[in-house]
Amino acid sequence: MDSAALPDVEGGLFDAHLHIIAPGFPLIPNQGYLPDFFTVDDYLARARPLGITGGAVVSGSFQGFDQTYLLDALARLGPGFVGVTQLPADTPDDVILGLDSKGVRAVRFNLQRGGSEDVSQLERMALRVHELCGWHVELYVANRHLAGLRALLARLPRVSIDHLGLTAEGFDDLLWLVERGIKVKATGFGRCDFDVAEALRRIDAVNPEALMFGTDLPCTRAPRGFSYEDMALLSTTVVKSAQFVMAGNAIATYAPSLQT
């Protein structure tokens, strides 16, 4: 794939969704699954040639409520990288503020795989972390399940949804939420059961500030992993807003201090 297919983004690309799975930190089998290790060095070896200079390390179902791996990863990755963690609802304020000081910027609810707090705590936690330190909430959820969550998600201060919402069923519910300011990660294309290019066009047409590029590396349990062609597809599908999709939208969401 010709590198000319990618936008020249000043300051580099921002990877809105990546995982670090390092030896020496707790892992919890999820439905019998444990991932292979994927260290900071492994990630940087893949990311640097792509022009990625920052990103969001996202806690997976198999990492539960462990923060030690995330803080270690952020320290190793350095400036430009932030964290998305999973927290129990009874986490004290001082713990959340301490994580914020280390670069954590969001809390994740994994409705697809589990390993996070129950969705019944979503509204209370979303409001609490936003008021406390400006965090948003991220949902790993299939579009087919959004109908029952639409009203709740629309009234939360800041929300993002992983992997384009995965399913064609319920995609109109996703668009309804995008129209109301919810962000969508342009990640995990191999996980989706629809025409990804058409989905990208429709989301971008509703709100060009919604889409956030991510690699989803190392793509655990994905039917097809990330490829360079995914980046080219994204940037050539949303040509007018490609620079925002590849960096600006995510930086505004995760790390506004990096904006020039």
Side-chain angles (χ1 to χ4, degrees), residues 71-85:
L71 297 181
D72 180 79
L74 293 178
R76 291 173 183 271
L77 287 163
F81 287 85
V82 299
V84 178
T85 194

Side-chain angles (χ1 to χ4, degrees), residues 214-234:
T215 64
D216 188 34
L217 288 170
C219 309
T220 58
R221 288 188 278 196
R224 177 183 67 77
F226 168 78
S227 71
Y228 186 90
E229 285 72 20
D230 292 335
M231 294 177 67
L233 171 66
L234 176 57

